[in-house]
Amino acid sequence: MHNQPVLHKPQAMMFDMDGTLFETETVLLPAYHRTFEQLRSEGLYEGETPPESIILSSLGMLLEDIWARVMPGASRQTVDRANELLLELQLQFMEEGLSRLYPQVEETLETLHAQGVRLFIASNGLEGYVKGITRVHQLDRLLDGVYSAGEYQTETKTELVRLLMEQHGLQSAWMVGDRSSDVEAGKGNGQPVIGCRYADFGDDSELAGADVIITSFEQLLDVFNKAK
């Protein structure tokens, strides 16, 4: 963990989902390969499945932007079907017990909740996917709200976080995430950013501008305890 600047204890914390709380690849990669098998069988896609590295490096983006990188030039019909299949299959794999949160996520959130910190999700994912994770992993009991670009139709995470803070009357909230969109969302709303550097995707430049970098989720408690 990098040297900590002077931070003040927040009313709330807002968490990205993929690569921050949730080990995305546990369900994403099997669902990704199955999706392309199905697209080929339906005559909507030809050729090899694009490399996993493309979708993994795109996590944190809006779905439209992800598919533009994975399948450039694909038809609207193909993209819509890919969205439908990917969501359905990821939820199926979650229900089958294949998905995992990062180590100490649940315990850390429980500690913060017990100390009176309001906890929120702010994700660029689809509503069903994000809420599916919180339900399967029983995080609902700890959360004050789950915000996704899919549900609120926001074009940027900065906009999503602004909406979240306005709707809950928050004056101070830390943004916790692993991608540049999380840094932009926190800073764009005048809030501190805790950068998470333990997922295998993304690179160091993603977190330029974060106030603190943590390399395991439980380090968030150290940052909170040292805040004024």
Side-chain angles (χ1 to χ4, degrees):
M1 189 168 63
H2 292 192
N3 289 336
Q4 182 172 327
V6 176
L7 296 177
H8 295 276
K9 284 186 167 60
Q11 293 173 290
M13 293 189 194
M14 306 172 292
F15 298 93
D16 173 51
M17 182 62 86
D18 292 321
T20 300
L21 303 181
F22 186 60
E23 286 195 51
T24 313
E25 61 271 37
T26 55
V27 292
L28 173 64
L29 295 182
Y32 179 71
H33 289 286
R34 189 81 63 83
T35 292
F36 277 94
E37 289 172 13
Q38 188 64 30
L39 290 175
R40 281 190 289 266
S41 74
E42 294 176 11
L44 291 171
Y45 187 83
E46 294 181 357
E48 297 295 315
T49 299
E52 294 175 351
S53 58
I54 300 178
I55 193 163
L56 288 175
S57 67
S58 304
L59 292 174
M61 297 180 179
L62 295 169
L63 269 172
E64 291 295 312
D65 298 328
I66 291 176
W67 290 122
R69 291 187 67 186
V70 172
M71 299 188 292
S75 69
R76 169 50 51 189
Q77 180 187 8
T78 298
V79 170
D80 287 347
R81 182 63 174 142
N83 273 336
E84 181 182 6
L85 286 167
L86 194 66
L87 173 61
E88 178 184 305
L89 289 163
Q90 287 185 106
L91 291 174
Q92 176 186 319
F93 292 141
M94 285 178 209
E95 297 289 355
E96 292 174 3
L98 296 184
S99 65
R100 290 194 306 268
L101 301 175
Y102 282 102
Q104 297 298 308
V105 162
E106 189 173 355
E107 297 86 344
T108 300
L109 294 180
E110 284 175 344
T111 301
L112 290 167
H113 179 74
Q115 294 193 41
V117 182
R118 301 175 69 188
L119 307 176
F120 296 88
I121 303 296
S123 167
N124 274 338
L126 288 172
E127 177 183 3
Y129 169 75
V130 177
K131 289 185 175 176
I133 296 168
T134 62
R135 177 178 51 78
V136 168
H137 290 280
Q138 301 179 340
L139 297 179
D140 309 64
R141 63 195 172 86
L142 302 172
L143 299 171
D144 283 70
V146 178
Y147 282 68
S148 64
E151 180 174 1
Y152 290 94
Q153 297 298 298
T154 46
E155 293 186 3
T156 66
K157 185 167 282 190
T158 304
E159 185 184 340
L160 184 68
V161 165
R162 183 173 300 120
L163 180 68
L164 186 165
M165 293 187 68
E166 286 175 355
Q167 290 191 350
H168 291 272
L170 300 177
Q171 301 301 314
S172 64
W174 292 358
M175 183 69 222
V176 183
D178 70 313
R179 305 309 294 258
S180 58
S181 57
D182 299 308
V183 178
E184 291 162 6
K187 294 302 178 182
N189 286 284
Q191 304 302 319
V193 176
I194 312 301
C196 301
R197 186 173 287 153
Y198 42 78
D200 292 332
F201 26 90
D203 57 45
D204 289 355
S205 65
E206 289 277 345
L207 295 174
D211 295 278
V212 178
I213 303 288
I214 59 176
T215 54
S216 62
F217 192 76
E218 66 267 27
Q219 289 179 351
L220 184 59
L221 288 179
D222 296 331
V223 179
F224 178 77
N225 290 332
K226 289 175 181 175
K228 291 189 173 181

